[in-house]
Amino acid sequence: MNARFDPERRIWVLNPGETFAYTDGQDAEAYLARVLEDATDLSCASEELPAAIRDWPSEYHLSPLRANLLRPLRLDEGLRVLEVGSGCGAITRYLGEAGCQVFALEGSSARAGMTAARCRDLENVTVQSGNFARYEVAGSFDLVTLVGVLEYAPTSFPGTGMEAVQACLRKAREATGPAGTLLIAIENRLGLKYFNGCAEDHTGRRFESINDLYLPQSCRTFGRQELERELHAAGFANVRFLFPFPDYKLPRMLISETALADPELDVGALAANYVSRDYAGGEVRFFDESLAWPMLARNQLVGDLANAFLVLASPQGDTGAWLESDWLASSFCGPRRACYRTENRFRRSGNALRVSKRLLFGGPAPDGPLEFTPPAETEYAAGTSLGRRFNRLAFHPQDAFPLYLEYLRDYVRYLEHELDDAGLLPRDFIDCVPANLVVREDGSYELIDREWRAREPLETDYLLFRAITNDLLRVSYLGTGALFDGSTSLRDFFDRVFSGLGKALAPGRLDEFVDREGRLLEQVAPAWGGPGYAELLRAGLERSPREVLGTLWQAGSAAAAEVQRLQVRAERAEAAYAQVLNSRSFRFGRRLAGLARRIWPGHTD
């Protein structure tokens, strides 16, 4: 191997002069390079890097959610890891902080330099620039990772299509040796988001993977069964699937195969919490995925229609050894401050299903309106989220608003039952929104995820405001938008809801709630909260709900409009076809074709 060390980029260049075509764009990568070189905190707990997110490339490479992909794995210190396709070092950094001996291989020398910049304070990370197809494997590795890489095999390995995929897998098999493990993160070509109108992540075209329109030497993804077959053909006898939601790029949950078969864990309800993203920017959706996942779970289709896979495969090794024996699933919080980031682990403990919460980083918390008091472990709450009712009623074409008031009356009745003598709620009810209320089989409610405690008195009206806001922001598809009929602005909608519940708001009260919400978010997630959030929400109050929630509602209207256009085109085509059938020229053509068949028996019309 003709390798040389590039001291400026801190990388080993394995094949000087070799070119690599893949890029996120010159401007995007130049920006990322500056951010990483200038950063003072490069750790996975960094709040400096997420603050630099400005677009999709920077979000993908700088989001703290990236590392969630590997958090359920048991990564022992000293493990030899070959990371193929390190990109800008998000996964590399996590592996390095876990104490692994990491050899990061990246085809692009510029991106390899960014990996090295991100890991410049980790002596256990070596960064190499080179093509995996020509990589000379020296010894076996405990773990070889292909995160977002296998789909590009046809562009860099010899052969076309599946031949190149097999060549890539055999190369990985050479690197794992008989006992090592290959880790693959890849999109599912049959992911639910693709049926729901999202563009294929790599080509930007709708239905490309479903219609099997991949070109021989273009990137390609796989369904669950075909990927498992390819792994077996390459010599990986032991294959285990995990399912990241909403996908492997920015995972908020990972579900095991064991969880899919657990009789008590409602994986459909878990999957329903995470909305798919169309990375091409499309807004068209044909259905509400949060309503679809529970139905798919009842039909045992969650694993086959998950948007992405995380796969552990080994020729002879035990892939289960990478996971805790009682682990079923993990969920992760959103983009909070590092001191508040948590993981919920769903575990089967004998006959009991438990949920344990752990802090990912900890550290001192800032002053603010909340105390952070996460419970260490709780029993799993079996039942259906009250918030799911909103997802369903939003589709009602005529009575959505009356049904919404009925749903909120049930919620308010529960809150009022919990009031103390002063008419205040328990302060750990600050997150008691419908999405966090589980309705048991007997109709009683159980509040889950009680990890926050308000320092200020907690009134029913403020919690009702939080519930309405949470409903509107968490639901990705609002059907026809009939819920907002009769509301001239979002402020008017809030006033109508409060008045309909017999809780007419005094002047200025809604603005007080907005300011309080801004202070709360400024403490927990400063990138989203603070005065900026309050001002944005206050400005939105004066606009129409459809305009403020345009991304959500327009998705439904755009889908309906597209279906209507297609129906019109189909009707026009049918009418045109009928005209052709009745035309003289067509009848003459039929007679001519009959004559042709008699003269040339092999001819067809």
Side-chain angles (χ1 to χ4, degrees):
M1 185 180 297
N2 184 27
R4 65 172 177 80
F5 185 71
D6 181 344
E8 183 179 351
R9 287 178 167 164
R10 313 177 190 91
I11 63 173
W12 286 93
V13 182
L14 302 186
N15 297 291
E18 187 175 58
T19 59
F20 186 76
Y22 184 86
T23 176
D24 281 315
Q26 185 174 355
D27 291 343
E29 293 193 354
Y31 173 74
L32 286 165
R34 288 196 303 272
V35 168
L36 293 172
E37 285 292 346
D38 295 343
T40 57
D41 183 359
L42 296 159
S43 71
C44 291
S46 173
E47 294 177 7
E48 185 180 351
L49 295 182
I53 292 173
R54 66 174 189 178
D55 51 21
W56 167 237
S58 58
E59 183 181 9
Y60 178 68
H61 292 294
L62 301 178
S63 171
L65 301 181
R66 289 289 311 281
N68 292 343
L69 186 70
L70 303 186
R71 291 195 190 280
L73 302 186
R74 300 169 63 178
L75 296 174
D76 298 329
E77 189 171 350
L79 285 173
R80 276 174 51 86
V81 178
L82 173 62
E83 182 194 12
V84 180
S86 63
C88 298
I91 297 298
T92 321
R93 181 77 204 193
Y94 179 77
L95 291 167
E97 288 186 12
C100 300
Q101 192 66 35
V102 185
F103 296 86
L105 178 66
E106 168 57 43
S108 161
S109 59
R111 290 155 69 90
M114 285 184 263
T115 297
R118 192 166 193 164
C119 300
R120 58 182 177 263
D121 58 337
L122 298 177
E123 295 183 358
N124 53 323
V125 174
T126 301
V127 182
Q128 304 165 309
S129 174
N131 191 325
F132 184 47
R134 289 184 285 279
Y135 185 72
E136 296 180 15
V137 178
S140 59
F141 293 87
D142 300 300
L143 184 67
V144 176
T145 71
L146 299 176
V147 176
V149 170
L150 181 61
E151 57 266 42
Y152 291 99
T155 68
S156 56
F157 275 81
T160 58
M162 300 311 294
E163 294 175 351
V165 171
Q166 270 298 308
C168 180
L169 291 175
R170 287 194 296 270
K171 188 74 173 184
R173 166 69 177 79
E174 179 186 352
T176 64
T181 297
L182 170 63
L183 180 148
I184 297 172
I186 191 170
E187 298 84 355
N188 177 9
R189 73 182 303 169
L190 300 176
L192 187 65
K193 63 181 267 185
Y194 291 152
F195 288 95
N196 200 13
C198 290
E200 207 277 351
D201 281 3
H202 306 90
T203 67
R205 293 186 288 271
R206 285 189 206 153
F207 308 120
E208 181 135 354
S209 61
I210 295 171
N211 287 327
D212 198 17
L213 296 177
Y214 291 131
L215 297 175
Q217 289 185 304
S218 71
C219 58
R220 63 178 55 227
T221 57
F222 317 94
R224 182 181 176 186
Q225 300 298 326
E226 60 183 329
L227 180 55
E228 186 167 8
R229 284 196 299 271
E230 293 301 320
L231 285 164
H232 287 321
F236 293 96
N238 302 319
V239 178
R240 181 181 301 265
F241 278 78
L242 287 75
F243 308 98
F245 286 84
D247 55 39
Y248 82 83
K249 297 179 180 70
L250 301 174
R252 291 282 307 281
M253 167 158 273
L254 283 101
I255 297 174
S256 68
E257 288 180 301
T258 307
L260 299 183
D262 190 277
E264 190 177 355
L265 185 64
D266 189 347
V267 294
L270 295 179
N273 289 320
Y274 305 103
V275 178
S276 300
R277 281 176 62 175
D278 185 339
Y279 294 108
E283 296 177 354
V284 170
R285 298 292 187 278
F286 301 113
F287 55 85
D288 187 343
E289 293 174 22
S290 65
L291 294 177
W293 282 119
M295 179 273 298
L296 294 172
R298 292 195 298 272
N299 289 277
Q300 300 181 350
L301 290 171
V302 170
D304 291 313
L305 294 175
N307 290 324
F309 306 126
L310 177 64
V311 187
L312 298 170
S314 179
Q316 299 176 16
D318 177 14
T319 55
W322 293 94
L323 305 168
E324 299 290 344
S325 60
D326 59 357
W327 180 80
L328 294 175
S330 285
S331 66
F332 304 91
C333 68
R336 300 174 179 174
R337 290 184 189 269
C339 61
Y340 298 133
R341 294 178 199 160
T342 58
E343 174 188 2
N344 292 320
R345 290 202 171 200
F346 297 79
R347 303 182 298 105
R348 173 59 68 182
S349 180
N351 293 326
L353 191 57
R354 310 286 296 177
V355 183
S356 59
K357 186 183 291 286
R358 73 181 183 104
L359 289 174
L360 297 181
F361 305 108
D367 292 333
L370 295 174
E371 294 179 58
F372 188 48
T373 57
E377 185 170 278
T378 58
E379 276 193 41
Y380 172 74
T384 303
S385 164
L386 176 63
R388 196 181 297 178
R389 274 177 60 185
F390 175 68
N391 295 70
R392 301 184 68 86
L393 68 87
F395 276 86
H396 203 285
Q398 295 174 331
D399 300 326
F401 189 78
L403 289 172
Y404 188 52
L405 292 182
E406 181 183 333
Y407 149 79
L408 288 178
R409 285 190 190 100
D410 290 343
Y411 167 69
V412 171
R413 273 194 290 270
Y414 170 74
L415 295 183
E416 291 176 342
H417 185 266
E418 301 295 327
L419 294 174
D420 63 15
D421 294 339
L424 298 174
L425 288 162
R427 295 196 181 191
D428 64 350
F429 266 47
I430 185 65
D431 250 359
C432 181
V433 294
N436 284 339
L437 278 174
V438 173
V439 185
R440 302 189 189 95
E441 284 190 8
D442 62 4
S444 62
Y445 292 176
E446 181 176 353
L447 175 59
I448 61 171
D449 217 15
R450 300 167 78 156
E451 58 182 354
W452 301 99
R453 180 178 175 84
R455 289 195 169 99
E456 303 172 26
L458 192 56
E459 301 171 352
T460 303
D461 285 358
Y462 174 56
L463 212 52
L464 178 58
F465 163 80
R466 298 205 77 221
I468 298 169
T469 304
N470 181 265
D471 278 343
L472 298 182
L473 293 180
R474 71 179 171 80
V475 176
S476 63
Y477 192 111
L478 291 174
T480 63
L483 177 65
F484 305 116
D485 288 348
S487 298
T488 57
S489 67
L490 194 57
R491 182 185 294 276
D492 183 42
F493 176 74
F494 273 100
D495 286 340
R496 289 181 64 217
V497 171
F498 273 85
S499 296
L501 296 172
K503 294 177 170 293
L505 290 171
R509 190 72 167 138
L510 189 58
D511 294 279
E512 291 177 15
F513 295 158
V514 169
D515 289 336
R516 185 171 179 178
E517 194 72 4
R519 293 193 302 272
L520 183 152
L521 285 175
E522 185 175 21
Q523 177 186 344
V524 178
W528 298 98
Y533 172 84
E535 289 304 316
L536 183 65
L537 184 52
R538 186 174 289 106
L541 290 175
E542 311 311 325
R543 296 158 58 193
S544 73
R546 286 184 172 90
E547 186 180 0
V548 176
L549 303 170
T551 301
L552 308 179
W553 179 80
Q554 287 173 15
S557 64
E562 181 157 322
V563 170
Q564 192 173 25
R565 284 196 300 271
L566 291 174
Q567 288 175 339
V568 170
R569 289 177 61 184
E571 291 170 0
R572 289 175 178 171
E574 188 175 354
Y577 182 57
Q579 288 181 333
V580 169
L581 291 178
N582 294 323
S583 67
R584 288 184 179 180
S585 58
F586 181 80
R587 290 196 297 271
F588 176 75
R590 295 283 295 178
R591 290 195 295 272
L592 187 61
L595 178 62
R597 282 196 298 271
R598 287 193 294 273
I599 299 174
W600 301 292
H603 176 79
T604 59
D605 54 354

